[in-house]
Amino acid sequence: MRDGTAEARAAAETADVAIVALGNHPLIDGCETEDRSGIALSAAQEALLRAVAAVRPETALVVMSSYPYALDWADEHLPAVMWTSHGGQETGTALAAVLLGEADPAGRLPQTWYRGDDELPHPLDYDVIKAGWTYQYHHAAPRYAFGHGLSYTEFTHSDLRLSAAEVAGDGALDVSLTLTNSGGRWHGPGAVRASPRTADRQARHGRRGVRPSTADVLDACLRGGSGFRTGPPRRVFLLLEFSGPPVSVSGQSTFTTFHI
């Protein structure tokens, strides 16, 4: 019989860089009709990853999966972790372009990725707020938050402004800012994501240590209306994150306004 882990370890010993691709088959535990008993990688996959990294520290983990995994060890010991959903026949080409620096990893996580030691709510507890489900109400800081993503370049912002200091609960607000590609890379699409959060929720999450990677915080006042209980005005924070328009060239700036 062949020992796949031993073969991978031997190959990694003679390589400059190792890339380990793990995850799940889209037709195995990848549907809404099935629940997983845990969120860790399988024991065999975890053992393979650690065996390769032991002889080649320059190991990148590529996870192709239908759902989040707990990647605590990989996050703490590997120089790079990349995730992709199950794509088409050009998935390998796209992954290679990102790994070789020919394309920027501009995607952002569409799920929350929890820590392995995080006690998740019972899967049949459908009280989302009380149980602490989803990125909005979970009690602990995740490993990778909803919307998480990195880039080969860096972005800075300036000239943040709101169209109004107060808006009705069913009203609208324009947020404007200048976004600059301030990194050394010549390309790298940047975007801004606004996450409105009322002051009481911000305080609750702050006590629980949930701190999204915010670029800045603006606040406005919402008066009772659609989606809010009637009563006194409620303060709302807008958590602005780099997650608008592409800013491809290093040093290039663009002024953008988005409507929320």
Side-chain angles (χ1 to χ4, degrees):
M1 294 181 62
R2 295 174 52 192
D3 186 339
T5 298
E7 292 180 359
R9 183 185 180 101
E13 287 178 329
T14 61
D16 296 324
V17 176
I19 300 172
V20 180
L22 305 176
N24 78 290
H25 190 285
L27 301 181
I28 301 177
D29 292 339
C31 304
E32 295 181 355
T33 56
E34 301 178 42
D35 290 326
R36 293 181 291 161
S37 58
I39 60 174
L41 289 168
S42 68
Q45 291 193 21
E46 186 75 25
L48 170 63
L49 176 63
R50 297 194 185 198
V52 171
V55 298
R56 181 54 55 209
E58 300 83 2
T59 294
L61 170 62
V62 174
V63 180
M64 181 181 292
S65 68
S66 308
Y67 38 67
Y69 281 102
L71 302 177
D72 299 1
W73 186 90
D75 183 73
E76 295 168 5
H77 293 86
L78 300 183
V81 177
M82 186 169 68
W83 174 80
T84 177
S85 181
H86 297 98
Q89 61 187 14
E90 288 298 309
T91 299
T93 303
L95 288 173
V98 171
L99 289 169
L100 294 175
E102 298 173 358
D104 199 70
R108 298 295 180 261
L109 285 180
Q111 323 103 341
T112 299
W113 287 50
Y114 300 102
R115 298 174 183 270
D117 58 358
D118 190 352
E119 186 174 350
L120 298 178
H122 191 280
L124 297 181
D125 189 342
Y126 294 106
D127 189 331
V128 175
I129 298 177
K130 183 178 179 180
W133 279 113
T134 79
Y135 71 98
Q136 296 188 76
Y137 304 108
H138 192 58
H139 299 175
R143 173 62 64 179
Y144 304 118
F146 171 80
H148 175 83
L150 302 178
S151 172
Y152 286 133
T153 188
E154 296 180 356
F155 299 93
T156 57
H157 69 272
S158 58
D159 305 323
L160 282 164
R161 65 191 71 172
L162 295 175
S163 60
E166 290 189 10
V167 293
D170 55 355
L173 189 68
D174 289 334
V175 180
S176 302
L177 73 157
T178 298
L179 183 64
T180 302
N181 182 341
S182 56
R185 297 276 301 190
W186 69 270
H187 72 285
V192 178
R193 179 168 62 90
S195 303
R197 177 172 293 170
T198 56
D200 55 344
R201 279 184 54 207
Q202 174 67 11
R204 290 200 307 273
H205 281 247
R207 287 197 297 272
R208 292 167 178 167
V210 177
R211 295 182 58 81
S213 55
T214 58
D216 205 342
V217 178
L218 298 176
D219 64 272
C221 185
L222 267 179
R223 296 194 173 275
S226 176
F228 289 88
R229 296 185 299 271
T230 58
R234 303 175 69 188
R235 197 177 188 190
V236 174
F237 293 92
L238 300 178
L239 309 179
L240 302 180
E241 307 175 58
F242 295 141
S243 93
V247 187
S248 299
V249 182
S250 178
Q252 179 186 15
S253 298
T254 184
F255 183 76
T256 183
T257 298
F258 51 99
H259 190 72
I260 58 176

